[in-house]
């Protein structure tokens, strides 16, 4: 906020709050939302540690806890979390700031020690589980193109194109005025390089690719918010008599367009016991959603239409057998037709009664 202004901060907070991807991962028992938070706090703490002389151990401790915890939760975050040692380290060496070099060196040692204690045993104990997922897929043009729809959380190519234009308009100011931009971009570039080298399973799907590069979503939305602020400043200089309406109208137009193409109404409808179903998150574009295509030919019983005659969300229906792989589980459509709550029925001897 102090660097980019009240307008950008307010719009950025709004875009974060309504991001379908962030809403999905915040509701999911997987590490992505937590590692996103830890990674960004770690980068900010590292910068504070390097640039402050007052009680530097405090930001150092914050960085150490966040960095080690983040990499322990998800290995792919390592390039992003560790990149400040390169960006700030090379800068300090180039300027011959040896005091800062020594400070970075000591933080590097304790970070390495923490990673060896926490991460190395897991790698040694489950190396097979890791290697079996490597060298199986690689991102292509469609992966990168689909990632834009995920980062903006929209299904419309027109809205996404507008978002890219706004992000481009705000990129220059972000590069100049927001110091973590360079570190974030370098870290994301190294993460992308690691993905290209290791080729982990399913990474050719935009969903998988974007969650490995989740901090890019934050940077993209911040660039969009900055672009809207810049565009409003341009309009204010030209529309002197109506300058106070420029920013509110731009924001209103952007939010209306985003609301028109958001997956949130279906995802958060009532009732919905399956809001984390792969159907909602595999691809926001219905035509490109492989789960949607796969389930199109599933037979639908007239039973669900009969249940629609009852009051909404008045009964619960347990359906068996339940498929852990949700692409085989058609409960989303059953709930949308019946307007009743569908629960998985387990046939594993756990709920026979």
């Amino acid at each position: 906020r102090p660097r980019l202004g009240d307008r950008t901060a307010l719009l950025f907070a709004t875009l974060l709050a309504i991001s379908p991807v962030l809403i999905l991962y915040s509701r999911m028992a997987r590490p992505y939302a937590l590692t996103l938070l830890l990674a960004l706090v770690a980068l900010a703490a590292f910068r504070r540690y390097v640039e402050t002389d007052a009680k530097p151990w405090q930001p150092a401790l914050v960085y150490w806890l966040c960095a080690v915890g983040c990499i322990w939760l998800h290995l792919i975050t390592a390039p992003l979390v560790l990149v400040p040692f390169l960006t700030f380290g090379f800068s300090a060496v180039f300027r011959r700031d040896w005091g800062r070099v020594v400070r970075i060196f000591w933080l590097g040692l304790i970070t390495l020690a923490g990673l060896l204690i926490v991460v190395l045993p897991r790698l040694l104990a489950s190396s097979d589980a890791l290697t079996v997922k490597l060298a199986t897929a690689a991102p292509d043009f469609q992966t990168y193109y689909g990632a834009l729809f995920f980062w903006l959380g929209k299904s419309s190519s027109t809205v996404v194109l507008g978002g890219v234009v706004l992000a481009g308009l705000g990129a220059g100011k972000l590069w100049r005025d927001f110091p973590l931009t360079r570190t974030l971009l370098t870290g994301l570039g190294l993460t992308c390089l690691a993905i290209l080298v290791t080729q982990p399973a399913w990474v050719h799907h935009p969903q998988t690719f974007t969650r490995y590069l989740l901090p890019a979503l934050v940077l993209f939305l911040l660039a969009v918010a900055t672009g809207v602020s810049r565009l409003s400043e341009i309009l204010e200089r030209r529309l002197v008599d109506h300058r106070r309406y420029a920013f509110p109208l731009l924001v209103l137009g952007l939010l209306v367009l985003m609301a028109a193409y958001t997956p949130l109404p279906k995802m958060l409808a009532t009732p919905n016991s399956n809001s984390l179903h792969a159907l909602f998150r595999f691809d926001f574009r219905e035509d490109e959603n492989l789960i949607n295509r796969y389930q199109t030919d599933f037979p639908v019983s007239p039973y669900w239409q009969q249940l629609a005659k009852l009051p909404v969300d008045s009964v619960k229906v347990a359906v068996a057998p339940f498929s852990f792989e949700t692409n085989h589980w058609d409960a989303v459509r059953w709930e949308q037709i019946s307007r009743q709550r569908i629960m998985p029925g387990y046939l594993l001897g756990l709920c026979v009664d």
Side-chain angles (χ1 to χ4, degrees):
R1 178 167 170 260
R3 294 180 179 276
L4 299 174
D6 293 349
R7 290 176 169 182
T8 301
L10 180 62
L11 180 55
F12 177 49
T14 304
L15 295 177
L16 288 178
I18 63 174
S19 166
V21 174
L22 296 183
I23 290 172
L24 272 168
Y25 288 142
S26 70
R27 296 156 63 94
M28 192 181 294
R30 301 189 75 173
Y32 310 120
L34 183 55
T35 54
L36 174 64
L37 176 64
L38 291 176
L40 295 178
V41 172
L43 296 183
F46 193 103
R47 180 175 172 274
R48 179 71 61 86
Y49 167 73
V50 168
E51 295 186 355
T52 186
D53 292 322
K55 296 183 179 179
W57 64 269
Q58 292 178 341
L61 180 61
V62 171
Y63 172 81
W64 185 83
L65 290 171
C66 291
V68 174
C70 191
I71 298 171
W72 175 74
L73 284 164
H74 201 193
L75 274 178
I76 197 64
T77 61
L80 179 69
V81 172
L82 298 179
V83 77
F85 289 103
L86 294 178
T87 54
F88 288 98
F90 280 135
S91 175
V93 170
F94 183 75
R95 295 200 306 264
R96 298 185 179 182
D97 187 347
W98 306 121
R100 186 166 295 181
V101 170
V102 171
R103 181 181 289 188
I104 292 172
F105 173 78
W106 284 114
L107 182 56
L109 275 185
I110 65 169
T111 303
L112 178 62
L115 292 175
L116 289 176
I117 294 170
V118 174
V119 177
L120 186 60
R122 292 183 65 201
L123 283 176
L124 296 176
S126 57
S127 57
D128 292 343
L130 184 66
T131 54
V132 75
K133 293 184 177 182
L134 301 180
T136 61
D140 54 23
F141 173 78
Q142 288 300 325
T143 308
Y144 305 127
Y145 179 62
L148 295 174
F149 290 84
F150 267 93
W151 285 329
L152 201 58
K154 297 293 164 281
S155 59
S156 166
S157 55
T158 303
V159 175
V160 169
L161 178 62
V164 171
V165 171
L166 288 171
L169 190 61
K173 182 174 177 59
L174 208 57
W175 180 267
R176 292 190 305 270
D177 298 342
F178 189 61
L180 286 181
T181 302
R182 297 175 181 82
T183 303
L184 267 169
L185 286 175
T186 306
L188 290 167
L190 290 176
T191 305
C192 195
L193 181 63
I195 290 171
L196 292 173
V197 170
T198 58
Q199 300 183 357
W202 311 112
V203 79
H204 58 295
H205 294 304
Q207 174 195 217
T208 307
F209 180 75
T210 50
R211 73 182 179 218
Y212 288 171
L213 289 166
L214 202 52
L217 179 153
V218 175
L219 194 61
F220 182 57
L221 294 183
L222 182 56
V224 169
T226 308
V228 172
S229 296
R230 281 207 63 203
L231 184 58
S232 69
E233 290 169 1
I234 294 171
L235 292 175
E236 285 168 355
R237 287 196 294 269
R238 300 196 174 189
L239 306 172
V240 179
D241 295 336
H242 305 285
R243 57 185 304 171
R244 59 181 162 180
Y245 301 115
F247 182 72
L249 287 176
L250 278 175
V251 171
L252 181 63
L254 176 65
L255 295 181
V256 166
L257 276 175
M258 295 184 76
Y261 295 98
T262 181
L264 288 178
K266 286 184 179 180
M267 189 193 307
L268 304 179
T270 300
N272 191 347
S273 305
N274 301 274
S275 61
L276 299 181
H277 194 288
L279 182 69
F280 292 119
R281 55 187 168 82
F282 190 84
D283 201 309
F284 295 145
R285 301 165 293 172
E286 288 191 11
D287 294 341
E288 301 295 332
N289 191 322
L290 298 182
I291 308 298
N292 187 45
R293 287 189 206 169
Y294 176 70
Q295 293 188 338
T296 299
D297 297 328
F298 282 13
V300 180
S301 169
Y303 173 72
W304 305 115
Q305 192 63 51
Q306 295 172 22
L307 289 181
K309 299 174 184 177
L310 299 173
V312 175
D313 202 13
S314 60
V315 297
K316 291 182 180 179
V317 184
V319 182
F322 169 69
S323 173
F324 179 75
E325 292 185 339
T326 56
N327 50 299
H328 303 308
W329 178 243
D330 201 18
V332 171
R333 180 157 41 177
W334 301 335
E335 284 195 332
Q336 289 174 348
I337 295 172
S338 68
R339 303 296 304 276
Q340 308 299 335
R341 200 165 292 277
I342 310 300
M343 313 296 288
Y346 294 91
L347 301 179
L348 302 175
L350 303 178
C351 57
V352 174
D353 293 338

